[in-house]
Amino acid sequence: MNRLLISLVAGLAASVAQAGDSFRFASIDGGMIDLADWRGKPVLVVNTASLCGYAGQFDGLQTLHERFGDRALILAVPSNDFEQELEDEAAVKEYCALTFDLTLPMTEITHVKGAEAHPFYAWLKEETGFVPRWNFNKALIGPDGEVVATFGAPVAPESAAIAGRIEALLE
C-alpha cells in the first residue's frame, strides 16, 4: 500500500512540474495567450514599457514577428514594474500601434518581478535565477519548453544573439 501511495505522489509531482510553454497570459486584445499553443516552437518573451529608452526595440520585435511568422512566438509583456508604462492597456495598445505599427501579440500590463510576478516570471526565476532588472529583458524558451537563454535590455531583438538563436532552434 505504501509503495502505491509513493508512486501516486511521485506521478502527481511529475505532472505538476511546469515548463516554459505551460503558462497563460491575458491578452491586451482580450482572451488569453496560451504558451502551450506554441509547444514545439521557440518563444521569445520580452517585458516592455512604452516610455522606456529601449522602446525603439519594438521595431526589432515586430521585425522578428514578421520574419518568423507562425514558426515562433514573439510576445511583448507590458509592465509598469519600472514605472515607465502608460496608465492602461488601451493607452499601451494605441501608443504601440501608432508609434511602432505593432501587430505582434501583447499581454495586458503584467508584473514581471516581486511577489506579484506573473507565474511565468516566477518560474523563470526559479529555473534560472533570472529576474528582469529593467524593461526589454528577454527570455528565449526552446521548442521543448526549457529556457534556452536570457538577455538584458541592451541586446537587440534582431541581433545574432537572439534572432540567430531562434533561427537555429527552427532548423
Side-chain angles (χ1 to χ4, degrees), residues 120-140:
F120 171 84
Y121 284 96
W123 169 82
L124 186 63
K125 178 182 178 184
E126 183 179 304
E127 288 293 304
T128 67
F130 183 80
V131 175
R133 295 179 60 166
W134 195 241
N135 303 305
F136 291 88
N137 280 215
K138 302 145 191 91
L140 180 57

Side-chain angles (χ1 to χ4, degrees), residues 72-88:
L73 172 64
I74 310 302
L75 180 62
V77 181
S79 178
N80 197 34
D81 285 355
F82 302 102
E83 300 179 5
Q84 293 190 315
E85 191 50 272
L86 298 170
E87 62 275 3
D88 60 34

